[in-house]
Amino acid sequence: MINYLVAKSGRGHFEIMKLPYGVYLSQLKYFKLIDVLSTKEGQEMYKKEKVLSRKDPDVSRLRNFTGYKGSDG
């Protein structure tokens, strides 16, 4: 992975090795995301993953759902 960051960032091996671990991981994530989003298939995959990993409900879709009747009906 260090060689990957060297190629993508243009930094030297020893410069990458001196980075704090958190910075190293964030740059690795950033460059991997750029690689994924550079292709049409990667963009579709990212959109699907983004929808699947949502933590807040899509209220507009829930309002259109009519399968739940509630306790009075």
Side-chain angles (χ1 to χ4, degrees), residues 8-24:
K8 291 292 183 178
S9 68
R11 294 181 176 173
H13 178 80
F14 293 109
E15 194 175 353
I16 298 289
M17 292 297 289
K18 290 180 184 178
L19 290 174
Y21 191 62
V23 174
Y24 168 79

Side-chain angles (χ1 to χ4, degrees), residues 9-47:
S9 68
R11 294 181 176 173
H13 178 80
F14 293 109
E15 194 175 353
I16 298 289
M17 292 297 289
K18 290 180 184 178
L19 290 174
Y21 191 62
V23 174
Y24 168 79
L25 289 178
S26 66
Q27 286 191 349
L28 191 60
K29 178 181 176 181
Y30 173 75
F31 285 118
K32 287 284 189 181
L33 183 61
I34 288 176
D35 284 348
V36 166
L37 293 177
S38 66
T39 65
K40 186 73 170 170
E41 296 151 348
Q43 291 172 6
E44 293 296 321
M45 181 179 67
Y46 180 73
K47 285 179 189 176

Side-chain angles (χ1 to χ4, degrees), residues 58-69:
D58 188 354
V59 178
S60 62
R61 289 179 73 187
L62 288 174
R63 287 185 179 137
N64 294 330
F65 183 67
T66 59
Y68 181 70
K69 300 293 184 196

